[in-house]
Amino acid sequence: MGKGGGFGIGRLGLWWQLRKATGQDAAPAPAVPQGAGPLLLVHVSPDARLAFSQVQRRLMRARPDLRILELGDTSALAAESLMQADPAALLLLGSALPPALIEAASRRALPVILAEARFAPEDAGWTIRALARRELLRPMQAVLVTDPASHATALRMGADRRRVAMTGPVAEIRDPLPCSEAERSVMAQLLRGRHAWLAASVPPDEEAAVLAAHHAALAQSHRALLFLAPRDPDRIDPLAETIEASGLTVARRSLDEDPTDEVHVMLTDGPTEMGLWYRLAPVTYLGGTLGGDDTAARHPFEPAALGSAIVHGPHTDRHATEWQQLGGAGAARQVADADGLAAAIAELSQPDLIATLASNAWTVSTGGADVTIRICAPVLDALGKAKP
């Protein structure tokens, strides 16, 4: 880094990027929020919108006087205009490194924090774009990345090891689904220690696999109980007939029937009262992930936040980030097919295995708050050091 906070903008790669970012028709700089508190400039990449909403809320709780200005135009003209407003820090969320904005901040020795960052292997290469990104990374006061591969790439790009940290991605923080505590207490008394599991939002093409898995569970524990929540409530009555034809006893929530000792399967009212079933079932299979259509699959943090261990199939596109986090933390059991589901459900009748999965899942589902705190820490530190 050169004197006065600059950082070698004569290098070819960065010059090329700055030239691209500088335009004669740049839009006027956005209006600066009024107030006496410090001004934080924030640039948000498309892949970091969720992170911004959570970081913004936590920052405002910590510093109610904070003025946050989200930036759209990042041209050289806009960047220079924004510097005249005497900001306290610049926060970059996501993978984009706007060159004119970073250079303008660097010339003023303005703290620059990069968070929720993801780097591709080619960022450590020797193309013009890669060289430019290397230079743009140098003035960062903190580089907070989402995954181990990005951490390794940032170091290969020349980032100061002392300033690079892996926080994991900001995941959606979901409030636990509610339920009637009186209802839960009555149901728990009826279960009296029975092993129970939930198949949530099950589409028709997975019903047979779920019932086969329950037969496997019954082979391990003859008092096992399945809470079956069909994706389509119109399937409740036909399902009851199918289940009874297989030799199992059914209770229907729609008829106010209870899961008494002789009941093997409790058919819920479909997608309603999910908070109740997650609380009662130590194990949950999330439907739609086995057959290939996960468009209506429940969010995996729903059962995780309520202490239910999770089993799922290979199709997880709808909540890919959350599933990746759960898998990486050993917080969910993935199965390949119906046979794998049956084996997993039978095995997860063991309390110690359930407890490990459920504990890991709970940690991941509440970890979004921890990641947000870690992102806010260097920002709040920079704001605290800003001149009054």
Side-chain angles (χ1 to χ4, degrees):
M1 185 179 293
K3 294 180 180 179
F7 60 98
I9 60 172
R11 295 194 181 192
L12 176 62
L14 185 54
W15 171 85
W16 180 77
Q17 288 285 344
L18 283 169
R19 181 175 180 131
K20 284 180 65 180
T22 305
Q24 299 300 318
D25 299 325
V32 175
Q34 297 299 307
L39 174 63
L40 174 67
L41 303 180
V42 182
H43 179 268
V44 185
S45 302
D47 60 351
R49 298 306 310 178
L50 173 62
F52 176 55
S53 65
Q54 295 191 25
V55 167
Q56 184 179 35
R57 285 196 298 269
R58 183 162 291 276
L59 285 173
M60 292 306 299
R61 285 200 297 268
R63 288 293 302 263
D65 64 333
L66 180 62
R67 295 176 294 150
I68 296 179
L69 178 58
E70 184 183 357
L71 306 177
D73 182 9
T74 57
S75 68
L77 291 175
E80 289 301 327
S81 176
L82 287 166
M83 293 304 124
Q84 303 308 310
D86 198 23
L90 169 62
L91 172 62
L92 306 174
L93 288 171
S95 303
L97 301 177
L101 193 57
I102 295 171
E103 168 60 10
S106 180
R107 285 199 301 271
R108 294 176 61 91
L110 188 70
V112 182
I113 296 100
L114 174 64
E116 193 73 359
R118 297 171 176 84
F119 294 108
E122 53 266 27
D123 284 328
W126 298 100
T127 63
I128 290 178
R129 179 183 182 277
L131 288 170
R133 285 174 70 80
R134 286 175 187 265
E135 290 298 314
L136 292 166
L137 206 58
R138 293 184 189 278
M140 303 297 175
Q141 180 169 300
V143 178
L144 309 178
V145 300
T146 62
D147 57 276
S150 292
H151 186 273
T153 301
L155 296 179
R156 290 200 303 273
M157 293 170 70
D160 187 335
R161 182 178 295 272
R162 296 167 299 178
R163 300 182 180 186
V164 180
M166 188 180 70
T167 62
V170 174
E172 184 177 1
I173 302 172
R174 300 176 72 89
D175 294 329
L177 293 180
C179 82
S180 163
E181 176 54 29
E183 194 79 45
R184 188 210 63 78
S185 180
V186 169
M187 284 278 191
Q189 288 294 323
L190 288 172
L191 295 182
R192 289 197 298 275
R194 296 176 67 182
H195 171 61
W197 68 288
L198 166 67
S201 192
V202 177
D205 64 348
E206 292 183 3
E207 292 168 358
V210 166
L211 293 176
H214 191 49
H215 279 284
L218 287 167
Q220 293 292 320
S221 175
H222 71 279
R223 297 180 67 239
L225 173 66
L226 165 62
F227 295 112
L228 176 51
R231 179 176 297 179
D232 180 2
D234 289 340
R235 292 288 302 157
I236 291 173
D237 291 338
L239 258 176
E241 294 178 4
T242 299
I243 295 167
E244 289 171 344
S246 73
L248 301 181
T249 303
V250 180
R252 279 175 270 194
R253 181 69 166 170
S254 59
L255 300 179
D256 290 328
E257 296 173 338
D258 293 324
T260 53
D261 276 348
E262 66 275 11
V263 170
H264 301 106
V265 179
M266 176 81 183
L267 282 170
T268 78
D269 287 341
T272 63
E273 298 185 293
M274 295 305 297
L276 172 63
W277 311 123
Y278 289 137
R279 285 173 171 85
L280 291 172
V283 178
T284 294
Y285 164 67
L286 286 181
T289 60
L290 193 63
D293 177 15
D294 72 334
T295 54
R298 308 288 303 195
H299 196 292
F301 284 4
E302 289 182 354
L306 290 170
S308 189
I310 306 169
V311 179
H312 66 95
H315 302 284
T316 55
D317 290 344
R318 188 176 184 212
H319 303 293
T321 297
E322 290 80 2
W323 283 120
Q324 182 182 28
Q325 289 178 271
L326 289 165
R333 179 73 62 87
Q334 179 173 333
V335 299
D337 51 28
D339 290 341
L341 178 62
I345 294 302
E347 183 182 4
L348 287 173
S349 61
Q350 302 176 41
D352 55 338
L353 294 178
I354 295 172
T356 299
L357 274 179
S359 175
N360 292 345
W362 183 87
T363 299
V364 171
S365 71
T366 57
D370 180 64
V371 174
T372 304
I373 289 170
R374 293 185 65 186
I375 290 174
C376 291
V379 178
L380 292 170
D381 183 63
L383 295 175
K385 293 176 180 177
K387 63 183 179 181

